[in-house]
């Protein structure tokens, strides 16, 4: 596989679809039944579907989110609701229906769903096999498939557990690709744990080293770090819950949550910065702004508005999609070694920009300060 970039589709999926279809950003979509009902997915054009994958999202099989219930094969929609003790009796029917749906719509591959488990159970693999994997493998027959694997940071950091996962994945003869996502609790928007990132890279190298394709879901800007490992697929999403994996979004929420402040991605800083802070840099340090801001028509439009855009307007997300597309496009023709060397250079430049911004008396808030830069340099060095 070549290095690729996929849209992690979430709420307001039309932004991702327009970015892919009209703006030619990214290599395809990872579709989300949590956010797109069955009719919406079916109405996508065949060219878009053939470049995309459908993630059945069985991570929390008892979820009652409305769009999930439009799919007859979602566990909670089967025979009065999901029960662990009785689902095995329905697994074969669910597998056949889910695979037929994916085949009929012509997606790039057939995704085999797994359940998210937050503990390193000694029988973790056996639980996954009983839940869906054995039934899906049998229903798939000789069809090559993509196995989804949702793990915790502890699982990735435990070398023995990583080996167990890899042995399981490679024991399935028709698995040609892994769609992997990790839950890594943190109080920062970017991953700053160098030890965890080193474990990720070791695991990703091991997976790719078997000859399997690898798609790493729900990545934020750390996807650029992973792109230095090998030719794999990373993702980009709009809202934060598509740039960090958590099963919270599958839970029924109580009341409305307050929307976050708008942020803009600044390629020179390799970070999302609060929009008002970005405007301050633009006004008070135009020379630095010229170095850190890679313009797009969408961001230019947002910056020209008389009022600050809200988080639920598309311009700043489409700007991010274009910037990330350009980041990955540059890396595609490079070897992993060259990607790594150039990313180190870019991170060091970002560090110098943060220092210059601080020296001008501009104080960025916690998530915009670039606390991830040095840990990433540690990992790459």
């Amino acid at each position: 596989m070549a290095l690729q970039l996929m849209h992690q589709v979430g709420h307001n999926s039309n932004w991702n679809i327009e970015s892919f279809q009209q703006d030619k950003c990214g290599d395809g979509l990872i579709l989300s039944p949590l956010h797109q009902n069955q009719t919406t997915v079916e109405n996508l054009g065949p060219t878009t579907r053939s470049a995309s994958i459908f993630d059945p999202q069985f991570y929390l099989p008892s979820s009652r989110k409305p769009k999930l219930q439009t799919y007859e094969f979602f566990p909670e929609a089967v025979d009065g609701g999901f029960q662990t003790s009785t689902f095995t009796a329905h697994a074969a029917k669910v597998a056949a229906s889910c695979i037929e749906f994916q085949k009929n719509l012509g997606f790039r591959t057939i995704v085999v769903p797994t359940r998210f488990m937050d503990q390193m159970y000694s029988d973790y693999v056996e639980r996954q096999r009983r839940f869906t994997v054995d039934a899906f493998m049998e229903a798939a027959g000789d069809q090559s498939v993509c196995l989804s694997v949702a793990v915790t940071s502890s699982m990735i950091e435990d070398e023995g557990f990583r080996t167990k996962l890899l042995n399981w994945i490679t024991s399935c003869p028709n698995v040609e690709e892994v769609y992997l996502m990790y839950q890594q609790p943190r109080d920062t928007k970017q991953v700053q744990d160098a030890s965890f990132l080193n474990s990720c890279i070791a695991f990703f190298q091991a997976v790719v080293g078997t000859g399997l394709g690898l798609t790493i879901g729900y990545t934020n800007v750390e996807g650029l770090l992973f792109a230095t490992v090998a030719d794999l697929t990373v993702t980009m999403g709009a809202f934060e819950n598509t740039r960090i994996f958590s099963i919270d979004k599958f839970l029924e929420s109580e009341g409305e949550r307050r929307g976050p402040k708008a942020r803009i991605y600044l390629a020179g800083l390799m970070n999302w910065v609060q929009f008002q802070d970005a405007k301050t840099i633009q006004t008070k340090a135009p020379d630095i702004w010229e170095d850190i801001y890679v313009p797009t028509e969408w961001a230019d439009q947002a910056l020209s508005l008389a009022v600050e855009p809200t988080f639920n307007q598309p311009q700043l997300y489409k700007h991010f999609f274009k910037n990330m597309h350009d980041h990955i496009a540059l890396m595609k023709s490079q070897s992993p070694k060259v990607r790594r060397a150039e990313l180190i250079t870019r991170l060091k430049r970002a560090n110098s920009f943060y220092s210059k911004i601080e020296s001008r008396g501009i104080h960025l808030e916690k998530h915009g300060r670039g606390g991830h830069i040095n840990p990433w340099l540690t990992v790459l060095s």
Side-chain angles (χ1 to χ4, degrees):
M1 292 177 66
L3 177 64
Q4 289 195 317
L5 176 67
M6 302 278 280
H7 286 267
Q8 192 83 54
V9 174
H11 182 59
N12 285 335
S13 58
N14 55 306
W15 301 346
N16 301 92
I17 295 167
E18 290 167 0
S19 177
F20 174 62
Q21 293 181 338
Q22 299 171 18
D23 308 328
K24 309 304 179 186
C25 291
D27 297 292
L29 311 172
I30 299 178
L31 300 167
S32 165
L34 176 69
H35 297 102
Q36 297 175 283
N37 63 34
Q38 182 168 329
T39 301
T40 301
V41 171
E42 291 172 339
N43 286 340
L44 289 171
T47 301
T48 295
R49 294 198 304 263
S50 67
S52 304
I53 66 174
F54 175 83
D55 176 8
Q57 295 186 321
F58 284 14
Y59 307 112
L60 184 65
S62 59
S63 177
R64 299 191 60 81
K65 285 297 186 79
K67 290 185 174 70
L68 290 171
Q69 305 305 310
T70 67
Y71 298 86
E72 65 177 8
F73 48 76
F74 187 75
E76 181 62 20
V78 176
D79 194 30
F82 174 77
Q83 294 291 332
T84 301
S85 58
T86 60
F87 184 70
T88 303
H90 305 288
K93 181 180 178 181
V94 165
S97 177
C98 186
I99 288 176
E100 182 181 19
F101 175 78
Q102 296 182 66
K103 288 177 68 174
N104 288 346
L105 291 185
F107 294 113
R108 179 173 64 77
T109 187
I110 303 296
V111 176
V112 175
T114 54
R115 187 175 185 175
F116 175 73
M117 299 179 188
D118 62 1
Q119 301 293 324
M120 289 192 291
Y121 297 109
S122 59
D123 62 343
Y124 175 92
V125 170
E126 289 72 22
R127 290 182 184 221
Q128 296 289 10
R129 291 181 58 185
R130 287 196 303 269
F131 174 55
T132 53
V133 175
D134 282 355
F136 269 78
M137 293 302 179
E138 184 174 347
D142 294 332
Q143 170 84 45
S144 294
V145 298
C146 171
L147 179 64
S148 63
V149 181
V151 295
T152 65
S153 55
S154 297
M155 294 175 186
I156 288 183
E157 291 180 285
D158 188 295
E159 185 175 358
F161 201 86
R162 294 201 307 263
T163 300
K164 178 189 287 189
L165 283 175
L166 191 61
N167 288 341
W168 168 47
I169 293 165
T170 55
S171 71
C172 304
N174 53 338
V175 171
E176 66 175 3
E177 183 178 348
V178 179
Y179 169 46
L180 185 141
M181 59 235 73
Y182 56 81
Q183 178 171 280
Q184 199 246 351
R186 56 184 185 267
D187 61 359
T188 58
K189 297 184 185 300
Q190 303 288 1
V191 181
Q192 298 187 15
D193 186 336
S195 176
F196 169 69
L197 289 169
N198 272 322
S199 296
C200 285
I201 287 175
F203 188 35
F204 301 160
Q205 286 176 327
V207 172
V208 174
T210 67
L212 295 171
L214 175 61
T215 295
I216 308 165
Y218 296 90
T219 56
N220 200 334
V221 188
E222 77 270 14
L224 298 178
L225 191 65
F226 300 149
T228 67
V229 172
D231 284 343
L232 42 73
T233 300
V234 294
T235 57
M236 59 182 177
F239 294 119
E240 287 179 7
N241 67 2
T242 56
R243 289 183 268 122
I244 181 171
F245 179 75
S246 169
I247 62 167
D248 288 350
K249 57 182 165 289
F250 294 94
L251 298 169
E252 293 182 273
S253 56
E254 297 180 4
E256 294 185 4
R257 295 183 179 179
R258 184 178 179 182
K261 289 186 176 182
R263 290 178 177 270
I264 182 172
Y265 179 71
L266 298 178
L269 297 180
M270 304 193 72
N271 202 8
W272 293 78
V273 173
Q274 280 193 358
F275 190 80
Q276 60 189 18
D277 288 344
K279 291 282 285 186
T280 300
I281 299 171
Q282 183 186 32
T283 303
K284 293 187 175 181
D287 54 325
I288 300 175
W289 178 256
E290 188 174 341
D291 286 329
I292 64 176
Y293 171 60
V294 176
T296 66
E297 60 179 288
W298 303 284
D300 283 347
Q301 183 185 71
L303 290 162
S304 68
L305 294 174
V307 296
E308 180 177 316
T310 63
F311 77 99
N312 59 358
Q313 292 175 311
Q315 296 98 324
L316 299 181
Y317 304 111
K318 289 190 174 184
H319 163 75
F320 173 61
F321 298 153
K322 173 59 175 167
N323 274 201
M324 279 296 287
H325 172 86
D326 291 346
H327 285 324
I328 294 296
L330 183 65
M331 300 172 92
K332 282 188 175 184
S333 62
Q334 299 171 337
S335 68
K337 183 178 180 180
V338 173
R339 293 173 194 168
R340 179 171 151 273
E342 294 206 358
L343 186 55
I344 288 173
T345 298
R346 289 170 58 192
L347 288 167
K348 288 180 176 179
R349 290 189 70 222
N351 243 349
S352 71
F353 293 140
Y354 283 110
S355 296
K356 289 178 181 178
I357 291 168
E358 184 72 19
S359 70
R360 301 289 180 91
I362 302 171
H363 305 293
L364 303 177
E365 53 78 46
K366 172 182 176 179
H367 302 292
R369 290 177 195 153
H372 60 297
I373 301 297
N374 283 325
W376 290 13
L377 281 168
T378 298
V379 170
L380 291 172
S381 299

